[in-house]
Amino acid sequence: EYMKSALSTTTISTTTGISHSELNTFGASIAGATSALLHDLVMTPMDTVKQRMQLGHYDGMGHALRQIVALEGWAGLYRSFGVTVMTNLPYGMVMVSTNEFLRNLVMEMKRDSNRPAVLDLQTTMLAGCGAGMLAAAVTSPLDRVKTRLQTQKLLHSMPQSASSLNLTSKVLSSSSGSTAVECPKARAITKAAIDIHSPHYTGFSDALLSIVKEEGYVGLWRGLVPRLLTHTPAVAISWTSYEAAKRLLHEYA
């Protein structure tokens, strides 16, 4: 809101004397990019932990943080920071500028039809939906690359305890009753536990080319529909809640 206020231009009507502040597309883009950058500086480590835990790894957030730092260093928490910024900067720019454009467009349509130009619930929801949908669609390929960098080769979840491996070994042990020979699945999981912490994708271009090679260019758009279904209502709710809270603060502050 500070950046929006700083980049807005204020005009005063010569007939009514009422001042009106307007944020143009360039200003909205800069405000969105700034907020996205500050957000990523704080939230990238938590996003990395979230992505890996969703794959079934680690016993909890504390365990995930300790393991990543111990095995990959502090840089492991920010391994995808570059591509995260590359994803979220354009996302923020498109989202904020589109929201401002759609909101001003709806307000102008209201004025043209002699209706009160009030920033109501319908206006903020409509503008937020359009902004979230467009921003999510444009940055979907970058988000896929970011996710691959964050998760590296963590493709299979690990057993929660050593007893899982022991049980598997006992079931498939030799007829003599010996449990010294592990089953192939158990060996594969054990080997994965040793190797997965070595970074497999070293940077943006490496992860991007691996997706294209393995899945084709269509792979860059995998997950687009769920992403749209997530971001469209999320952005609409965020902007609507923000505007509602701002009105309440102005009224009661």
Side-chain angles (χ1 to χ4, degrees):
E1 189 64 29
Y2 171 79
M3 290 298 298
K4 287 174 64 179
S5 299
L7 296 169
S8 295
T9 55
T10 302
T11 57
I12 301 176
S13 174
T14 56
T15 56
T16 63
I18 299 175
S19 62
H20 174 68
S21 296
E22 185 174 352
L23 184 65
N24 59 30
T25 303
F26 177 76
S29 298
I30 297 300
T34 303
S35 62
L37 177 60
L38 296 175
H39 170 274
D40 291 344
L41 283 170
V42 176
M43 295 304 298
T44 294
M46 289 297 99
D47 193 42
T48 299
V49 170
K50 181 203 73 172
Q51 295 282 5
R52 297 193 181 192
M53 289 188 68
Q54 285 179 335
L55 289 175
H57 297 267
Y58 310 116
D59 295 328
M61 188 174 71
H63 181 226
L65 287 169
R66 290 192 300 271
Q67 286 291 100
I68 293 172
V69 172
L71 296 168
E72 304 175 48
W74 289 100
L77 294 172
Y78 283 91
R79 191 172 303 285
S80 65
F81 180 71
V83 71
T84 298
V85 172
M86 289 178 62
T87 302
N88 289 345
L89 282 188
Y91 180 92
M93 294 172 71
V94 172
M95 188 263 289
V96 175
S97 59
T98 302
N99 180 74
E100 291 292 325
F101 170 78
L102 291 177
R103 192 168 66 175
N104 291 336
L105 179 63
V106 173
M107 299 284 278
E108 189 66 32
M109 292 172 62
K110 288 182 177 181
R111 283 190 284 266
D112 291 342
S113 59
N114 295 321
R115 289 185 294 165
V118 179
L119 188 61
D120 53 16
L121 176 66
Q122 291 82 359
T123 302
T124 55
M125 287 292 288
L126 180 62
C129 281
M133 182 181 295
L134 182 60
V138 169
T139 58
S140 186
L142 294 173
D143 189 63
R144 273 232 65 193
V145 175
K146 181 199 76 170
T147 300
R148 180 155 292 202
L149 280 172
Q150 286 177 328
T151 57
Q152 294 291 324
K153 277 295 184 179
L154 297 178
L155 302 182
H156 305 288
S157 62
M158 303 303 298
Q160 293 299 310
S161 64
S163 61
S164 301
L165 289 177
N166 293 336
L167 179 60
T168 307
S169 299
K170 290 177 182 178
V171 171
L172 296 180
S173 62
S174 62
S175 58
S176 63
S178 171
T179 60
V181 180
E182 294 181 322
C183 73
K185 179 67 174 178
R187 280 201 303 272
I189 293 175
T190 303
K191 184 178 184 300
I194 297 172
D195 295 337
I196 56 176
H197 297 291
S198 298
H200 188 80
Y201 305 109
T202 56
F204 175 84
S205 59
D206 188 21
L208 174 66
L209 292 174
S210 73
I211 294 173
V212 174
K213 181 180 179 180
E214 295 168 12
E215 307 175 38
Y217 286 101
V218 70
L220 294 172
W221 300 96
R222 192 180 300 279
L224 174 62
V225 173
R227 179 171 168 82
L228 292 177
L229 292 176
T230 301
H231 285 260
T232 299
V235 172
I237 293 170
S238 296
W239 276 114
T240 303
S241 301
Y242 171 75
E243 293 295 342
K246 190 167 71 171
R247 280 197 298 270
L248 288 174
L249 289 174
H250 279 301
E251 290 177 8
Y252 298 104

